[in-house]
Structures are given as structure tokens and as C-alpha cells.
Amino acid sequence: GKVRAPTHIISTISDDRGEEPCYAGVPMSSIIEKGFGVGDVISLLWFKRSLPRYCTQFIEICIMLCADHGPCVSGAHNTIVTARAGKDLVSSLVSGLLTIGPRFGGAIDDAARYFKDAHDRGLTPYEFVESMKKKGIRVPGIGHRIKNRDNKDKRVELLQKFARTHFPSVKYMEYAVQVETYTLTKANNLVLNVDGAIGSLFLDLLAGSGMFSKQEIDEIVEIGYLNGLFVLARSIGLIGHTFDQKRLKQPLYRHPWEDVLYTK
Ligand code: ACO
Ligand code: LMR
């Protein structure tokens, strides 16, 4: 019989060997014929299945809402400085992307992990927040540099509104809101931020859609798929900032001395 030589790579999400490429078994022509959007493509390539419309719409809303947040945030700042140093598109983009992490845009996975664990163990928001404090860990998904109780993040409200209307259950989001209610008693800026909103709502999407087993949800949360939403979304804005700087022919950036405290 035929002997199959062992392969060096295993791949399960896409196939380009036939007449047309397939994403998770779905040929490109049906993706176009069915009018699929980027949310459907993400469902196929990340989750290896077609998700219901409200889920793909939610994914697309996350992408649109996180695409940019002005020139002053960490990622855009790095991209702008890099573009002004004369570097190319990819260098400017990755320079911005490299700021995404536990403080900026990359707290979605940890927010999902901690909210899920605390909710599923039945911890009250008080017990959860105080246990985090004892461990010296900031609650991921809580807190913002410029947003506060009186100037809430509109993106969070929009995500919550969509989910309350379309999701079968928003139990994890409600838990995150209860956590926010408690953290706001501590400081004005300890609001549920966009990372926390996406993290908690994606738990609701995974649990409520009926499309994922408990084991699959645990795996998605453990591997950490969700920061990918912010990385993907913000790439749109960072590419825009690169083009903007090039179009404006901005010179090399040098930070002003006056804005540095030189001290020993
Ligand atoms: N949980 C508990 N306490 C907090 C938190 C939090 N998430 N955030 C701030 N605090 C408290 C702490 O007491 C902190 O003091 P510490 O430095 O001794 O820990 C105090 O507030 C002041 O903190 P600052 O660093 O001055 O707050 P800042 O406004 O600079 O921080 C930030 C904003 C970085 C977002 C912070 O709230 C944080 O680390 N949050 C968790 C990570 C997160 O969710 N990041 C995503 C933000 S949204 C986005 O980037 C798209
Ligand atoms: C963002 O989306 O970039 C922001 O929430 C972070 C910020 O500092 O405004």
C-alpha cells in the first residue's frame, strides 16, 4: 500500500490546494455568494465554524469600535514616531502593535479569564476585587486613563446595548458591571473599560451561542484568542496613522526637553 511520509506541519483552518481556497472547508465562492462579512471570515479562520449572524455582527462591531482612539494613545504614538523616523508601513505598524499588552488593549484575555473564574466560582464582586488586591494584581478590564464615572466610554455602552438586545444571556457582562459598581466606590476612573466589556461579552457569546462545548470555551480562554480582536482592529487605525504622517510629510520627531524631568 501507499506509505504516507510524516508531515512537518499540521494545519486545520484553510486549504489552498483545490480550484479555490477554502476557509474551514467553505470555498471562497460561497463566502462571496452568501454575502459573508469579515466577522464570518474571522469565525471560520479563528473558531473553525460559521457563527450566527448576531455573533459575527458583534465581532464586526468590536473591530469597528476598536479601530482607532486618536493619536495620543500608546499604539498610535509609537506608530507616528516610527513613521516620522522614515520607516516603512510594516515597521510603523508593528511598532504600534508592540504596545498592546496588559495595560493597553491587551487586557481582554485576562479580563475574560478572571471574570469567568470569579463568576463561575460564585465570588461576590467584593470578594473578587479584594482578593485581586491582596494578590497585588490590577483587575484586567477595569480602569481608564481618561474615562471615568461621569465620562463613561461610549464604546462600552454601545457593546452592552447590542448584547442586551441580541444575546440570549449577558450573565458575564452583568457580573463585570457589578464589579465596576464596586470598583467605582474606590476611585472615579475604575470604570469597566473596552477590554473588560469585550472580554466579558465574548464569554457570553461563547456560552450563549450554543456553538461551543464547555471544553472548547475553556480552551479559547486559556489560549487567549480575544486580544486578537484588538490587535486586528487597531491595525486599521495604525495603518491610517502611518499614511497620515507620510501624507503630511512630517519630520523626525524629537521629544521636547521641557517635557522631561531631568533629575538624579
Ligand atoms: N484594578 C484595581 N486597581 C486599579 C486598577 C485596576 N484595574 N487600575 C488602577 N487602579 C488603582 C490602583 O490603586 C492604582 O494604584 P497602583 O499604581 O498602586 O496599582 C491607582 O488606581 C492609580 O493607577 P494609575 O496607574 O494612575 O491609573 P491609570 O489611570 O494610569 O491606569 C490603566 C489606567 C493602565 C488602564 C489601569 O487602570 C489598568 O492597569 N487597568 C487594568 C488593565 C486594563 O484593563 N487595560 C486596558 C485599558 S482599555 C484600553 O487600553 C483599550
Ligand atoms: C484605546 O482604545 O486606545 C484607549 O481606550 C486607550 C486610551 O488611552 O484612550
Side-chain angles (χ1 to χ4, degrees):
K2 280 186 186 169
V3 179
R4 182 84 169 85
T7 62
H8 292 95
I9 289 180
I10 304 174
S11 172
T12 67
I13 61 164
S14 59
D15 192 341
D16 64 320
R17 290 168 304 171
E19 238 180 40
E20 56 178 324
C22 291
Y23 292 166
V26 182
M28 204 56 69
S29 49
S30 23
I31 289 176
I32 303 304
E33 275 156 26
K34 289 184 179 156
F36 277 9
V38 77
D40 297 282
V41 170
I42 291 169
S43 302
L44 292 171
L45 290 177
W46 294 12
F47 300 107
K48 292 177 43 173
R49 71 204 71 191
S50 278
L51 292 174
R53 180 68 189 126
Y54 79 86
C55 296
T56 58
Q57 224 182 325
F58 179 76
I59 292 173
E60 286 170 9
I61 291 172
C62 291
I63 305 289
M64 292 189 287
L65 292 181
C66 294
D68 198 40
H69 207 235
C72 301
V73 306
S74 302
H77 183 84
N78 256 23
T79 287
I80 289 170
V81 171
T82 308
R84 290 181 56 167
K87 301 288 299 247
D88 59 291
L89 172 62
V90 176
S91 307
S92 305
L93 169 63
V94 299
S95 154
L97 288 179
L98 287 171
T99 63
I100 297 176
R103 294 184 186 167
F104 169 67
I108 310 180
D109 283 313
D110 272 345
R113 287 181 190 122
Y114 280 106
F115 286 143
K116 183 171 188 305
D117 178 69
H119 171 278
D120 294 355
R121 285 198 291 132
L123 296 188
T124 63
Y126 170 84
E127 288 167 335
F128 169 50
V129 174
E130 293 306 322
S131 72
M132 294 292 276
K133 192 172 171 193
K134 265 196 206 125
K135 286 185 262 185
I137 305 172
R138 289 182 180 192
V139 182
I142 293 286
H144 201 276
R145 245 13 245 269
I146 58 163
K147 296 291 168 190
N148 57 55
R149 185 202 312 270
D150 309 310
N151 171 31
K152 286 263 193 98
D153 192 330
K154 189 71 189 169
R155 298 170 296 180
V156 171
E157 290 174 9
L158 290 167
L159 289 165
Q160 290 174 329
K161 190 170 170 213
F162 179 86
R164 285 204 171 99
T165 314
H166 298 281
F167 283 24
S169 154
V170 286
K171 64 178 183 178
Y172 287 108
M173 184 201 82
E174 295 299 4
Y175 185 73
V177 169
Q178 286 173 28
V179 169
E180 176 191 46
T181 306
Y182 178 63
T183 53
L184 279 175
T185 64
K186 293 175 161 270
N188 221 11
N189 74 328
L190 294 185
V191 289
L192 181 64
N193 61 42
V194 73
D195 283 14
I198 294 177
S200 56
L201 280 169
F202 225 93
L203 292 173
D204 286 319
L205 183 154
L206 294 169
S209 64
M211 302 287 293
F212 299 89
S213 68
K214 205 183 146 314
Q215 202 187 341
E216 285 174 324
I217 297 175
D218 287 344
E219 190 184 46
I220 288 167
V221 171
E222 194 194 314
I223 290 177
Y225 284 34
L226 306 179
N227 286 344
L229 290 167
F230 193 90
V231 171
L232 180 64
R234 194 50 61 95
S235 295
I236 301 172
L238 298 178
I239 291 171
H241 283 292
T242 307
F243 295 156
D244 195 36
Q245 296 306 306
K246 304 267 181 206
R247 191 167 49 223
L248 294 166
K249 298 194 179 9
Q250 289 296 284
L252 181 68
Y253 178 81
R254 199 173 198 283
H255 202 72
W257 281 319
E258 310 81 69
D259 193 39
V260 175
L261 172 65
Y262 290 91
T263 180
K264 288 208 167 95

